[in-house]
Amino acid sequence: MPRLIALLCALLPAVSAAQNTVPAERLAAREWFRDAKFGLFIHWGVYSQLGQGEWVMENRGIPIDTYESLASGFNPVKFNAKDWVALAKDIGVGYITITARHHDGFSMFETKATPYNIVNGTPFRRDPLRELADECRKQGIKLFFYYSQLDWHHPDYWPRGRTGNATGRADAGDWTRYLDFMDGQLEELLTRYGPLGGIWFDGMWDKPNADWRLEKTYSLIHRLQPSALIVPNHHKAPLPGEDVQTFEQDLPGANTAGFNTTSIGALPLETSLTINQSWGFNITDRKFKTTRELIGYLVRAAGNDANLLLNVGPSPDGTIQPQAVERLRAVGEWLRSHGSSVYKTRGGPIPPRPWGVTTHRGDTVFVHVLDWQDRLLSIPDFGAQVTGARMLTTNQPVEAVQSAGGITLSLPPASADEVDRIVVLATRPRPR
Ligand code: FHN
């Protein structure tokens, strides 16, 4: 008996090490994610009909029975998955992340778990996620499903959290049944739509101290699709089993939004951003960011070693607003000529600065000058020898004077329409 106990004790560390080991296919998926740099976020649901964003149910205190009538009117006949994915392809994103279910609890996919879904509960009767999954596969884009853990509709979302308290639900429910419901839906999403990029979770912040049974849910996902990434928008430092650290409306480590953590871990990073000021379709929100701002954000995200997940909120008819399309296409156009300084790069070697950021691929360093009016720019020494310097798009040589204190670049003058003056530095390790 003592020998058996000794044997078990000897085996235990190996078992727990195996549980913590990330399999090769998921590590490869994380590297793919890091390389992709740009994703398209889509918030679309029955709420889009009211044109007041995806929080309209909560913000206007709409009770469930009234809100449910939105489903019977939802018929986005102009939705065309081929067009959406072609747009994504044209603008140079590597992935799409779309709301499969938002906080209003309405499933934008066919599910056996509830009739409150787009196929069984609307005159549309089509499954847009299936159509998107098929098109993404054809056009070589990865698909992630956004899945809200918070639910303003389900009777078993109990005890309730910070939100969803004015929906007319009984003050009772079975939390375990709710968790089983979610796992059941996730199983459907992971088994019926082909290989996914991953699941993008949101809403745990509604009940930060609840037992979300994460280990079970995360194991389910990784068992069903070993290379699917788990991207949790819980606004905290990453937990075991998660693959990406995502930040909302903020670059990694910043917290202007007021709910992001400022601690940055070792996982791949992402930052999600609205193209105007709303996630879901908002008819009165005309505060679209300029193309210059969007490109600047994409570049600053890359310089922070993060992907940009840029959001659009399609209209209730299934089309994407022209103001959004125009800006997305302009970003895509810019990427066609400047993308080599963004895609497959990593942030640094110089930490982000007010004037701009740096990215690098191997020994090639890209200096992104975003906000600097002068001809001379001094950057700190980063431990390598600069062997050549040129402008990215023109190949024009750039004088780079290296001294003990750093490197001074003589930049060509900035033209008014140039968002990012990019200097390409060839470097080699400094001889010892
Ligand atoms: O409440 C949601 C919001 O509607 C939207 O989905 C964003 C996207 O990052 N996340 C939540 C807030 O953290």
mmCIF file of all heavy atoms in Angstrom, residues 41 43 54-55 99 102-103 146 150 152 200-203 205 233-235 246-249 259 272-274 279-280 309 311, ligand 1:
data_model
loop_
_atom_site.group_PDB
_atom_site.id
_atom_site.type_symbol
_atom_site.label_atom_id
_atom_site.label_comp_id
_atom_site.label_asym_id
_atom_site.label_seq_id
_atom_site.Cartn_x
_atom_site.Cartn_y
_atom_site.Cartn_z
ATOM 1 N N PHE A 41 -14.821 42.422 -36.685
ATOM 2 C CA PHE A 41 -15.787 42.091 -35.636
ATOM 3 C C PHE A 41 -17.170 42.446 -36.178
ATOM 4 O O PHE A 41 -17.341 43.498 -36.814
ATOM 5 C CB PHE A 41 -15.463 42.967 -34.418
ATOM 6 C CG PHE A 41 -15.800 42.383 -33.078
ATOM 7 C CD1 PHE A 41 -15.484 43.095 -31.910
ATOM 8 C CD2 PHE A 41 -16.416 41.157 -32.927
ATOM 9 C CE1 PHE A 41 -15.758 42.594 -30.652
ATOM 10 C CE2 PHE A 41 -16.698 40.634 -31.668
ATOM 11 C CZ PHE A 41 -16.371 41.370 -30.523
ATOM 12 N N HIS A 43 -21.191 42.739 -34.899
ATOM 13 C CA HIS A 43 -22.264 42.657 -33.911
ATOM 14 C C HIS A 43 -23.582 42.756 -34.660
ATOM 15 O O HIS A 43 -23.928 43.815 -35.189
ATOM 16 C CB HIS A 43 -22.162 43.813 -32.910
ATOM 17 C CG HIS A 43 -21.234 43.561 -31.774
ATOM 18 N ND1 HIS A 43 -19.883 43.499 -31.919
ATOM 19 C CD2 HIS A 43 -21.476 43.332 -30.444
ATOM 20 C CE1 HIS A 43 -19.325 43.268 -30.734
ATOM 21 N NE2 HIS A 43 -20.270 43.161 -29.824
ATOM 22 N N GLU A 54 -26.653 47.237 -29.365
ATOM 23 C CA GLU A 54 -26.968 45.886 -28.884
ATOM 24 C C GLU A 54 -27.408 45.842 -27.423
ATOM 25 O O GLU A 54 -27.871 44.826 -26.945
ATOM 26 C CB GLU A 54 -25.759 44.968 -29.134
ATOM 27 C CG GLU A 54 -24.602 45.128 -28.167
ATOM 28 C CD GLU A 54 -23.862 46.454 -28.289
ATOM 29 O OE1 GLU A 54 -24.118 47.223 -29.237
ATOM 30 O OE2 GLU A 54 -23.022 46.741 -27.403
ATOM 31 N N TRP A 55 -27.284 46.996 -26.724
ATOM 32 C CA TRP A 55 -27.697 47.048 -25.315
ATOM 33 C C TRP A 55 -29.097 47.627 -25.149
ATOM 34 O O TRP A 55 -29.520 47.940 -24.048
ATOM 35 C CB TRP A 55 -26.692 47.891 -24.513
ATOM 36 C CG TRP A 55 -25.567 47.091 -23.926
ATOM 37 C CD1 TRP A 55 -24.610 46.402 -24.602
ATOM 38 C CD2 TRP A 55 -25.290 46.882 -22.531
ATOM 39 N NE1 TRP A 55 -23.746 45.785 -23.729
ATOM 40 C CE2 TRP A 55 -24.137 46.068 -22.444
ATOM 41 C CE3 TRP A 55 -25.889 47.304 -21.352
ATOM 42 C CZ2 TRP A 55 -23.577 45.666 -21.234
ATOM 43 C CZ3 TRP A 55 -25.336 46.913 -20.134
ATOM 44 C CH2 TRP A 55 -24.199 46.095 -20.083
ATOM 45 N N THR A 99 -21.125 37.752 -33.648
ATOM 46 C CA THR A 99 -21.982 37.425 -32.511
ATOM 47 C C THR A 99 -22.893 36.240 -32.837
ATOM 48 O O THR A 99 -23.799 36.352 -33.658
ATOM 49 C CB THR A 99 -22.856 38.640 -32.134
ATOM 50 O OG1 THR A 99 -23.395 39.216 -33.341
ATOM 51 C CG2 THR A 99 -22.057 39.696 -31.402
ATOM 52 N N HIS A 102 -25.725 37.285 -28.288
ATOM 53 C CA HIS A 102 -25.300 38.417 -27.462
ATOM 54 C C HIS A 102 -26.069 38.389 -26.148
ATOM 55 O O HIS A 102 -26.777 37.420 -25.851
ATOM 56 C CB HIS A 102 -25.457 39.745 -28.231
ATOM 57 C CG HIS A 102 -24.515 40.794 -27.744
ATOM 58 N ND1 HIS A 102 -24.864 41.699 -26.773
ATOM 59 C CD2 HIS A 102 -23.213 41.046 -28.042
ATOM 60 C CE1 HIS A 102 -23.812 42.470 -26.497
ATOM 61 N NE2 HIS A 102 -22.797 42.105 -27.259
ATOM 62 N N HIS A 103 -25.932 39.454 -25.358
ATOM 63 C CA HIS A 103 -26.528 39.442 -24.009
ATOM 64 C C HIS A 103 -28.048 39.302 -24.044
ATOM 65 O O HIS A 103 -28.647 38.879 -23.055
ATOM 66 C CB HIS A 103 -26.167 40.718 -23.243
ATOM 67 C CG HIS A 103 -24.719 41.090 -23.260
ATOM 68 N ND1 HIS A 103 -23.701 40.172 -23.392
ATOM 69 C CD2 HIS A 103 -24.106 42.307 -23.156
ATOM 70 C CE1 HIS A 103 -22.536 40.812 -23.364
ATOM 71 N NE2 HIS A 103 -22.763 42.101 -23.233
ATOM 72 N N TYR A 146 -18.486 34.869 -31.401
ATOM 73 C CA TYR A 146 -18.676 35.596 -30.147
ATOM 74 C C TYR A 146 -19.804 34.891 -29.414
ATOM 75 O O TYR A 146 -20.857 34.613 -29.985
ATOM 76 C CB TYR A 146 -19.059 37.041 -30.473
ATOM 77 C CG TYR A 146 -19.539 37.881 -29.299
ATOM 78 C CD1 TYR A 146 -18.774 38.953 -28.834
ATOM 79 C CD2 TYR A 146 -20.763 37.646 -28.682
ATOM 80 C CE1 TYR A 146 -19.215 39.752 -27.784
ATOM 81 C CE2 TYR A 146 -21.211 38.425 -27.627
ATOM 82 C CZ TYR A 146 -20.434 39.477 -27.183
ATOM 83 O OH TYR A 146 -20.872 40.267 -26.148
ATOM 84 N N LEU A 150 -23.281 36.093 -20.399
ATOM 85 C CA LEU A 150 -24.364 36.853 -19.769
ATOM 86 C C LEU A 150 -25.631 36.693 -20.608
ATOM 87 O O LEU A 150 -25.567 36.694 -21.837
ATOM 88 C CB LEU A 150 -23.936 38.327 -19.705
ATOM 89 C CG LEU A 150 -25.008 39.408 -19.593
ATOM 90 C CD1 LEU A 150 -25.811 39.256 -18.312
ATOM 91 C CD2 LEU A 150 -24.358 40.780 -19.644
ATOM 92 N N TRP A 152 -29.808 38.011 -20.750
ATOM 93 C CA TRP A 152 -30.926 38.792 -20.193
ATOM 94 C C TRP A 152 -32.276 38.105 -20.439
ATOM 95 O O TRP A 152 -33.319 38.636 -20.097
ATOM 96 C CB TRP A 152 -30.977 40.183 -20.842
ATOM 97 C CG TRP A 152 -29.784 41.029 -20.566
ATOM 98 C CD1 TRP A 152 -29.013 41.047 -19.436
ATOM 99 C CD2 TRP A 152 -29.213 42.026 -21.439
ATOM 100 N NE1 TRP A 152 -28.009 41.972 -19.544
ATOM 101 C CE2 TRP A 152 -28.105 42.593 -20.768
ATOM 102 C CE3 TRP A 152 -29.522 42.503 -22.717
ATOM 103 C CZ2 TRP A 152 -27.317 43.596 -21.311
ATOM 104 C CZ3 TRP A 152 -28.748 43.514 -23.266
ATOM 105 C CH2 TRP A 152 -27.647 44.051 -22.578
ATOM 106 N N TRP A 200 -15.101 33.517 -28.813
ATOM 107 C CA TRP A 200 -14.812 34.814 -28.184
ATOM 108 C C TRP A 200 -15.879 35.023 -27.119
ATOM 109 O O TRP A 200 -17.042 35.297 -27.436
ATOM 110 C CB TRP A 200 -14.904 35.888 -29.254
ATOM 111 C CG TRP A 200 -14.113 37.144 -29.080
ATOM 112 C CD1 TRP A 200 -12.898 37.425 -29.632
ATOM 113 C CD2 TRP A 200 -14.510 38.339 -28.367
ATOM 114 N NE1 TRP A 200 -12.506 38.703 -29.295
ATOM 115 C CE2 TRP A 200 -13.473 39.286 -28.524
ATOM 116 C CE3 TRP A 200 -15.619 38.702 -27.609
ATOM 117 C CZ2 TRP A 200 -13.514 40.558 -27.971
ATOM 118 C CZ3 TRP A 200 -15.665 39.976 -27.046
ATOM 119 C CH2 TRP A 200 -14.624 40.889 -27.216
ATOM 120 N N PHE A 201 -15.494 34.868 -25.855
ATOM 121 C CA PHE A 201 -16.473 34.947 -24.761
ATOM 122 C C PHE A 201 -16.605 36.378 -24.246
ATOM 123 O O PHE A 201 -15.630 37.121 -24.183
ATOM 124 C CB PHE A 201 -16.039 34.061 -23.595
ATOM 125 C CG PHE A 201 -16.306 32.596 -23.817
ATOM 126 C CD1 PHE A 201 -15.256 31.702 -23.945
ATOM 127 C CD2 PHE A 201 -17.605 32.114 -23.889
ATOM 128 C CE1 PHE A 201 -15.496 30.346 -24.128
ATOM 129 C CE2 PHE A 201 -17.858 30.761 -24.075
ATOM 130 C CZ PHE A 201 -16.797 29.869 -24.201
ATOM 131 N N ASP A 202 -17.805 36.695 -23.832
ATOM 132 C CA ASP A 202 -18.053 38.024 -23.263
ATOM 133 C C ASP A 202 -19.135 37.897 -22.199
ATOM 134 O O ASP A 202 -20.053 37.080 -22.344
ATOM 135 C CB ASP A 202 -18.527 38.977 -24.368
ATOM 136 C CG ASP A 202 -18.316 40.438 -24.015
ATOM 137 O OD1 ASP A 202 -17.890 40.731 -22.889
ATOM 138 O OD2 ASP A 202 -18.578 41.289 -24.880
ATOM 139 N N GLY A 203 -19.069 38.701 -21.157
ATOM 140 C CA GLY A 203 -20.182 38.798 -20.218
ATOM 141 C C GLY A 203 -19.919 38.271 -18.822
ATOM 142 O O GLY A 203 -20.733 38.484 -17.920
ATOM 143 N N TRP A 205 -18.053 39.363 -16.774
ATOM 144 C CA TRP A 205 -17.923 40.517 -15.886
ATOM 145 C C TRP A 205 -19.251 40.868 -15.203
ATOM 146 O O TRP A 205 -19.298 41.600 -14.222
ATOM 147 C CB TRP A 205 -17.402 41.743 -16.661
ATOM 148 C CG TRP A 205 -18.014 41.871 -18.022
ATOM 149 C CD1 TRP A 205 -17.468 41.453 -19.198
ATOM 150 C CD2 TRP A 205 -19.304 42.385 -18.347
ATOM 151 N NE1 TRP A 205 -18.331 41.697 -20.236
ATOM 152 C CE2 TRP A 205 -19.463 42.269 -19.735
ATOM 153 C CE3 TRP A 205 -20.346 42.956 -17.605
ATOM 154 C CZ2 TRP A 205 -20.621 42.684 -20.408
ATOM 155 C CZ3 TRP A 205 -21.497 43.359 -18.263
ATOM 156 C CH2 TRP A 205 -21.619 43.225 -19.650
ATOM 157 N N ASN A 233 -13.317 37.923 -23.054
ATOM 158 C CA ASN A 233 -13.366 39.373 -22.806
ATOM 159 C C ASN A 233 -13.867 39.607 -21.379
ATOM 160 O O ASN A 233 -14.898 40.241 -21.177
ATOM 161 C CB ASN A 233 -14.277 40.041 -23.829
ATOM 162 C CG ASN A 233 -14.200 41.551 -23.750
ATOM 163 O OD1 ASN A 233 -13.144 42.118 -23.492
ATOM 164 N ND2 ASN A 233 -15.323 42.223 -23.949
ATOM 165 N N HIS A 234 -13.117 39.045 -20.400
ATOM 166 C CA HIS A 234 -13.578 39.225 -19.020
ATOM 167 C C HIS A 234 -12.880 40.389 -18.334
ATOM 168 O O HIS A 234 -13.070 40.628 -17.155
ATOM 169 C CB HIS A 234 -13.450 37.934 -18.211
ATOM 170 C CG HIS A 234 -12.120 37.238 -18.317
ATOM 171 N ND1 HIS A 234 -10.927 37.901 -18.321
ATOM 172 C CD2 HIS A 234 -11.818 35.919 -18.425
ATOM 173 C CE1 HIS A 234 -9.938 37.027 -18.419
ATOM 174 N NE2 HIS A 234 -10.446 35.816 -18.505
ATOM 175 N N HIS A 235 -12.009 41.066 -19.094
ATOM 176 C CA HIS A 235 -11.355 42.281 -18.596
ATOM 177 C C HIS A 235 -10.387 42.004 -17.443
ATOM 178 O O HIS A 235 -10.060 42.909 -16.679
ATOM 179 C CB HIS A 235 -12.388 43.338 -18.131
ATOM 180 C CG HIS A 235 -13.445 43.656 -19.149
ATOM 181 N ND1 HIS A 235 -14.711 44.069 -18.802
ATOM 182 C CD2 HIS A 235 -13.439 43.629 -20.497
ATOM 183 C CE1 HIS A 235 -15.435 44.285 -19.873
ATOM 184 N NE2 HIS A 235 -14.675 44.019 -20.932
ATOM 185 N N THR A 246 -7.593 39.761 -24.687
ATOM 186 C CA THR A 246 -8.215 40.792 -25.515
ATOM 187 C C THR A 246 -8.560 42.020 -24.683
ATOM 188 O O THR A 246 -8.900 41.907 -23.508
ATOM 189 C CB THR A 246 -9.451 40.223 -26.260
ATOM 190 O OG1 THR A 246 -9.820 41.091 -27.320
ATOM 191 C CG2 THR A 246 -10.639 40.003 -25.342
ATOM 192 N N PHE A 247 -8.429 43.166 -25.280
ATOM 193 C CA PHE A 247 -8.711 44.448 -24.616
ATOM 194 C C PHE A 247 -9.798 45.152 -25.413
ATOM 195 O O PHE A 247 -9.814 45.062 -26.637
ATOM 196 C CB PHE A 247 -7.448 45.317 -24.573
ATOM 197 C CG PHE A 247 -6.335 44.711 -23.750
ATOM 198 C CD1 PHE A 247 -5.528 43.707 -24.295
ATOM 199 C CD2 PHE A 247 -6.123 45.107 -22.451
ATOM 200 C CE1 PHE A 247 -4.519 43.131 -23.537
ATOM 201 C CE2 PHE A 247 -5.111 44.533 -21.691
ATOM 202 C CZ PHE A 247 -4.301 43.546 -22.231
ATOM 203 N N GLU A 248 -10.669 45.837 -24.710
ATOM 204 C CA GLU A 248 -11.822 46.445 -25.394
ATOM 205 C C GLU A 248 -11.671 47.958 -25.471
ATOM 206 O O GLU A 248 -11.538 48.613 -24.432
ATOM 207 C CB GLU A 248 -13.080 46.061 -24.612
ATOM 208 C CG GLU A 248 -14.345 46.571 -25.244
ATOM 209 C CD GLU A 248 -15.583 46.097 -24.483
ATOM 210 O OE1 GLU A 248 -15.540 45.030 -23.841
ATOM 211 O OE2 GLU A 248 -16.590 46.810 -24.542
ATOM 212 N N GLN A 249 -11.721 48.499 -26.634
ATOM 213 C CA GLN A 249 -11.641 49.950 -26.881
ATOM 214 C C GLN A 249 -10.367 50.557 -26.278
ATOM 215 O O GLN A 249 -10.356 51.726 -25.927
ATOM 216 C CB GLN A 249 -12.865 50.683 -26.295
ATOM 217 C CG GLN A 249 -14.211 50.207 -26.781
ATOM 218 C CD GLN A 249 -14.622 50.806 -28.123
ATOM 219 O OE1 GLN A 249 -13.799 50.958 -29.018
ATOM 220 N NE2 GLN A 249 -15.894 51.108 -28.290
ATOM 221 N N PHE A 259 -12.594 49.724 -17.799
ATOM 222 C CA PHE A 259 -12.803 48.374 -17.278
ATOM 223 C C PHE A 259 -11.711 47.390 -17.690
ATOM 224 O O PHE A 259 -11.770 46.218 -17.357
ATOM 225 C CB PHE A 259 -14.176 47.818 -17.689
ATOM 226 C CG PHE A 259 -14.543 48.105 -19.123
ATOM 227 C CD1 PHE A 259 -13.834 47.540 -20.166
ATOM 228 C CD2 PHE A 259 -15.595 48.951 -19.412
ATOM 229 C CE1 PHE A 259 -14.157 47.809 -21.472
ATOM 230 C CE2 PHE A 259 -15.941 49.230 -20.728
ATOM 231 C CZ PHE A 259 -15.221 48.664 -21.764
ATOM 232 N N SER A 272 -10.133 45.252 -29.357
ATOM 233 C CA SER A 272 -11.344 45.419 -30.169
ATOM 234 C C SER A 272 -11.753 46.891 -30.163
ATOM 235 O O SER A 272 -11.603 47.584 -29.150
ATOM 236 C CB SER A 272 -12.485 44.537 -29.654
ATOM 237 O OG SER A 272 -12.826 44.892 -28.335
ATOM 238 N N LEU A 273 -12.271 47.327 -31.303
ATOM 239 C CA LEU A 273 -12.541 48.758 -31.481
ATOM 240 C C LEU A 273 -13.785 48.963 -32.333
ATOM 241 O O LEU A 273 -13.969 48.295 -33.357
ATOM 242 C CB LEU A 273 -11.344 49.404 -32.199
ATOM 243 C CG LEU A 273 -11.390 50.915 -32.396
ATOM 244 C CD1 LEU A 273 -11.114 51.635 -31.071
ATOM 245 C CD2 LEU A 273 -10.365 51.367 -33.440
ATOM 246 N N THR A 274 -14.635 49.900 -31.927
ATOM 247 C CA THR A 274 -15.808 50.244 -32.746
ATOM 248 C C THR A 274 -15.380 51.182 -33.871
ATOM 249 O O THR A 274 -14.502 52.018 -33.686
ATOM 250 C CB THR A 274 -16.869 50.961 -31.889
ATOM 251 O OG1 THR A 274 -16.230 52.018 -31.163
ATOM 252 C CG2 THR A 274 -17.534 50.013 -30.915
ATOM 253 N N TRP A 279 -21.310 49.208 -30.996
ATOM 254 C CA TRP A 279 -21.004 47.855 -31.495
ATOM 255 C C TRP A 279 -22.133 47.407 -32.430
ATOM 256 O O TRP A 279 -21.904 47.096 -33.590
ATOM 257 C CB TRP A 279 -20.861 46.879 -30.326
ATOM 258 C CG TRP A 279 -19.743 47.208 -29.388
ATOM 259 C CD1 TRP A 279 -19.846 47.800 -28.162
ATOM 260 C CD2 TRP A 279 -18.336 46.996 -29.607
ATOM 261 N NE1 TRP A 279 -18.597 47.964 -27.606
ATOM 262 C CE2 TRP A 279 -17.662 47.472 -28.459
ATOM 263 C CE3 TRP A 279 -17.581 46.457 -30.643
ATOM 264 C CZ2 TRP A 279 -16.269 47.413 -28.334
ATOM 265 C CZ3 TRP A 279 -16.200 46.384 -30.524
ATOM 266 C CH2 TRP A 279 -15.563 46.869 -29.386
ATOM 267 N N GLY A 280 -23.363 47.397 -31.904
ATOM 268 C CA GLY A 280 -24.506 47.026 -32.746
ATOM 269 C C GLY A 280 -24.991 48.237 -33.533
ATOM 270 O O GLY A 280 -24.674 49.391 -33.185
ATOM 271 N N LEU A 309 -9.155 44.150 -33.813
ATOM 272 C CA LEU A 309 -10.434 43.546 -34.190
ATOM 273 C C LEU A 309 -11.411 44.704 -34.354
ATOM 274 O O LEU A 309 -11.929 45.246 -33.380
ATOM 275 C CB LEU A 309 -10.893 42.574 -33.091
ATOM 276 C CG LEU A 309 -12.203 41.835 -33.329
ATOM 277 C CD1 LEU A 309 -12.132 40.969 -34.581
ATOM 278 C CD2 LEU A 309 -12.556 40.968 -32.116
ATOM 279 N N ASN A 311 -14.745 46.626 -35.469
ATOM 280 C CA ASN A 311 -16.159 46.233 -35.476
ATOM 281 C C ASN A 311 -17.036 47.007 -36.453
ATOM 282 O O ASN A 311 -16.872 48.209 -36.645
ATOM 283 C CB ASN A 311 -16.738 46.451 -34.073
ATOM 284 C CG ASN A 311 -18.188 46.033 -33.991
ATOM 285 O OD1 ASN A 311 -18.479 44.843 -33.932
ATOM 286 N ND2 ASN A 311 -19.114 46.992 -34.013
HETATM 287 O O1 FHN B 1 -21.339 44.422 -23.421
HETATM 288 C C1 FHN B 1 -20.511 44.065 -24.497
HETATM 289 C C2 FHN B 1 -20.716 44.959 -25.669
HETATM 290 O O2 FHN B 1 -22.035 44.932 -26.058
HETATM 291 C C3 FHN B 1 -19.822 44.497 -26.795
HETATM 292 O O3 FHN B 1 -20.159 43.196 -27.185
HETATM 293 C C4 FHN B 1 -18.386 44.560 -26.352
HETATM 294 C C5 FHN B 1 -17.396 44.064 -27.385
HETATM 295 O O4 FHN B 1 -16.114 44.032 -26.881
HETATM 296 N N1 FHN B 1 -18.155 43.819 -25.127
HETATM 297 C C6 FHN B 1 -19.092 43.964 -24.039
HETATM 298 C C7 FHN B 1 -18.672 44.816 -22.969
HETATM 299 O O5 FHN B 1 -17.509 44.372 -22.345
#
